[in-house]
Amino acid sequence: MSITPQMGQMGQMGQTGQMGQQGQQGQQFPSTSPHQQQGGSGSLEQLQQLGQQQPYQQLLQQLGGQQQQQQHNQQEQQIQQLTQSVVQQVQTQALAAGVADAFIDIVQPLPGQPQQIFLRIDNQFRSLTNPSPQLHQQIQEAFAFGHQVVGVWDGQSPNVLRSVRIQRF
C-alpha cells in the first residue's frame, strides 16, 4: 500500500530542501496536523526524544504512580462498600431457632428431586435440603433416644433451615 505525501508537504519539501526527512515522515506517519505541515516541529521522533529526558521521565513516573494510587484507592472503596452491604444484610437477617418435635425424612426422593429432611418446629415444617448421610442417621437416633433437635433459620426464608444441632443430655 502506498501513501502519497499531502500537497502541502510536497510544496514545503521543495522549498526547504528537506525532501528526504519530510518524505519519509509523510510516508510512515501520514498526518493532517498543521504542526507537521509547517516544518515538522511536532514529529513523533522529537516527542520520543523529549520523553527520554530526565525531567520528563520523572513526570511520567509521577503520573503513573498517581494513577496506580487512584486505582488502588478506588478498589479499596469498592471493597469497603461491598463489605458494609454484606454486613448490613447479615445484621438485618434475624436468626431464629426452635426445637423440633417431629420429622419427616425423605431418603429416596422422586427422580430429579433433592433429598430432604423436614423438621416440625412450632407447628410449621421447615426443610433441610441435601443433608449428609450422617445427619440423616443422627436425626433419626436423636428422636429415637429423646434428644433435642434444634433447627436454625433466618427471617427472610423461615421455611428453610440453615443448620441443625442435636443436643444430647
Side-chain angles (χ1 to χ4, degrees):
M1 178 171 122
S2 168
I3 300 174
T4 58
Q6 297 176 352
M7 194 62 151
Q9 287 179 342
M10 286 178 62
Q12 285 187 359
M13 282 189 276
Q15 293 173 359
T16 59
Q18 297 176 357
M19 186 169 171
Q21 183 180 5
Q22 288 285 339
Q24 288 176 355
Q25 286 180 0
Q27 289 179 356
Q28 290 178 357
F29 306 104
S31 173
T32 58
S33 169
H35 296 290
Q36 282 193 350
Q37 292 177 0
Q38 295 176 358
S41 62
S43 72
L44 183 61
E45 291 174 6
Q46 289 175 339
L47 291 175
Q48 287 175 343
Q49 288 174 358
L50 283 175
Q52 297 299 324
Q53 293 180 4
Q54 184 67 22
Y56 295 110
Q57 280 291 335
Q58 290 174 351
L59 286 174
L60 289 172
Q61 289 173 357
Q62 287 175 354
L63 287 174
Q66 288 174 354
Q67 288 176 348
Q68 288 176 352
Q69 183 65 30
Q70 287 174 349
Q71 289 174 349
H72 181 70
N73 289 343
Q74 288 175 348
Q75 288 174 349
E76 282 184 2
Q77 287 175 350
Q78 289 174 347
I79 290 171
Q80 287 175 351
Q81 289 173 352
L82 180 63
T83 304
Q84 288 175 354
S85 68
V86 169
V87 168
Q88 288 173 352
Q89 287 177 357
V90 169
Q91 288 176 345
T92 59
Q93 292 179 355
L95 293 179
V99 178
D101 58 4
F103 77 101
I104 299 173
D105 188 357
I106 302 177
V107 180
Q108 289 190 331
L110 295 172
Q113 298 296 316
Q115 289 187 349
Q116 290 180 312
I117 294 178
F118 292 92
L119 298 178
R120 188 174 70 185
I121 303 171
D122 299 330
N123 290 324
Q124 184 177 359
F125 280 99
R126 304 173 197 278
S127 69
L128 181 66
T129 305
N130 291 323
S132 67
Q134 293 84 9
L135 186 58
H136 279 283
Q137 183 179 357
Q138 290 174 354
I139 289 174
Q140 289 173 356
E141 289 175 1
F143 276 97
F145 294 116
H147 301 299
Q148 285 186 341
V149 178
V150 178
V152 179
W153 65 91
D154 65 40
Q156 291 182 347
S157 54
N159 295 329
V160 178
L161 291 172
R162 297 289 179 192
S163 67
V164 173
R165 179 179 173 173
I166 299 173
Q167 296 180 349
R168 294 178 175 92
F169 301 108

